[in-house]
Amino acid sequence: MNNNGSMKSVLIELFQRLNNSDIPYAVLRGYEELPYQVSHDIDFCIVPENLEDALDVVAKVMNANGY
């Protein structure tokens, strides 16, 4: 992990970017305490035709935050 920011801020940024995109998604598991606590894996459902765009959003957020 890194020291450039908290996981809370990274998750908030990730969900903001997904919400502001045209990518439909659903969080299937691990959402119960977000963004304040991650109890286990966070499982997403993304239709295959949007997968590349969603992975790009995730990669940009994670890279920008040093992960």
Side-chain angles (χ1 to χ4, degrees):
M1 296 283 174
N2 77 357
N3 294 321
N4 294 338
S6 71
M7 182 55 68
K8 176 182 172 185
S9 65
V10 171
L11 290 172
I12 290 170
E13 180 180 350
L14 175 62
F15 284 111
Q16 285 175 338
R17 287 196 184 202
L18 286 171
N19 289 340
N20 291 330
S21 74
D22 292 329
I23 303 167
Y25 72 94
V27 181
L28 304 174
R29 184 178 78 126
Y31 58 84
E32 297 84 2
E33 302 290 328
L34 291 178
Y36 306 103
Q37 183 176 352
V38 177
S39 58
H40 47 75
D41 293 345
I42 301 169
D43 295 334
F44 285 83
C45 178
I46 300 169
V47 293
E49 54 266 18
N50 295 114
L51 185 57
E52 189 173 323
D53 292 335
L55 289 173
D56 187 50
V57 169
V58 171
K60 285 179 179 175
V61 170
M62 299 309 281
N63 288 332
N65 287 282
Y67 289 93

